[in-house]
Each structure stands twice: as C-alpha cells, then as structure tokens.
Amino acid sequence: MRSFNYKAVLFDLDGTLVDSLPLILKTFQATMLQMDLHFNHEEVLSTVGLPLHDICNHLGGSRGKELFNRYLEHQDAIHDDYLDEYQGTTEMLKSLKEKGYRLGIVTSKRRVIAERGIKLTGFDSFIETLVALEDVPRAKPEAEPVLKALDNLRANPKDAVYVGDSPFDIQCGKKAGVKTIGVTWGVSGMAKLQNESPTDIINNWQQLLSFLDKQGV
C-alpha cells in the first residue's frame, strides 16, 4: 500500500503563477478578427480556466474547431513574447520547496504549451508534477485533476491546498476536498472569488506563506 503523508501545494497556471492573460486576449482578438467573429473582452475572460476546446466552441459556435486551430497557430507564434511570471512567484516557490512542500500545477492547458511556459519561467526547477488537459477524463471544475496531482505527489486532500484565480479552480479544489485559495491578480476580483467561498483569498504571495504557517498545512 502506498503511503500518503506529504504536504502539497497545487497551483493553477494561467492567471495564478504566470501572467498569460495578455497572451490569451491578444490571441483570441487576432483570431476572431480573422474569422470576422465578434470579440468581447469580458466574455473571453469569463471562460479562462476551461479547456480551450470548450472555450472555442462557446465563442465560435459552429466554427469552434476552426477557431481552435487558428488560436493554436497564432499563440504558438507569439507565446514567448507575451508570457511572464507574476512578481515574486519564483521566490515563493523556492521558499515552499525549502520548507519541504510537494509542489504541483493543475491546469486545463494542453501539456505541450503548459510545459513550454513552465520551462520558460524556470518553474520546472520547483514543480514535481503537472496535470494538464490530456491527463484526466474530466477537466476543471471537476475534481479529477486535483486528485490526480495529489496521487502523483502521494498527498492526502486534508494535507493539501489548491491555489487559483478563477471560480473553476475553487470549484475543482472543493470537490477534491482540499483547502482552496483564491488569488485576486488573475481573471477574478474579490467579489467573484467570494461567491465561491474558498478557504481564503490572498492579494500577494506572502499571504499564502502566512496562511500555510497558520493552518499547519
């Protein structure tokens, strides 16, 4: 029988660890303009965190597959120029690693593009497991992605936290039985996060470190 006795901190990627919102918005704006589709900034933001196929089907309707393919092509060309970590993220990950936490990323992005971003930022030095879109039968907001990451890290839900910026992250974490932390610098403001009743909401990484110290997670 496997022993599950490690403490884990799991993170969403887009809008949580990396500032990819400019990349996402610019890519959708460019591709939808090419296709003569109406681009609505707020509507696109409301979908961030869901699998790209679902987003494109929602925004593109019957042309969802075409939008998906155009999106991939355009994003691949500009990805590295429009992706950066949020301030202090590397230092936070390093601190958690030194404290003995097992660290993972749970994202609805495709593995190839998620790995590209993690390597670009250097997060691969700290992250032990990545659960991407292809790794589970049901993506966020269902529980499977977080549960798979915990299994990979040999951690119990009661000893884990999932940190994310969207309602889908909070819903996923709660279904998996872990503590949930909403961050205010991504796609969702305080009010939208409060509607999901996460365990806590933070405005900076120092508040995450303080939360973990107080909770004994």
Side-chain angles (χ1 to χ4, degrees), residues 144-158:
E144 282 93 330
V146 162
L147 292 176
K148 183 172 181 61
L150 293 179
D151 187 65
N152 292 345
L153 295 176
R154 299 173 63 192
N156 278 314
K158 67 180 180 63

Side-chain angles (χ1 to χ4, degrees), residues 108-127:
S108 292
K109 295 184 85 162
R110 295 171 301 123
R111 173 168 287 275
V112 63
I113 199 69
E115 288 180 340
R116 181 172 170 182
I118 293 168
K119 290 178 181 177
L120 181 67
T121 54
F123 295 163
D124 54 336
S125 299
F126 311 102
I127 299 301

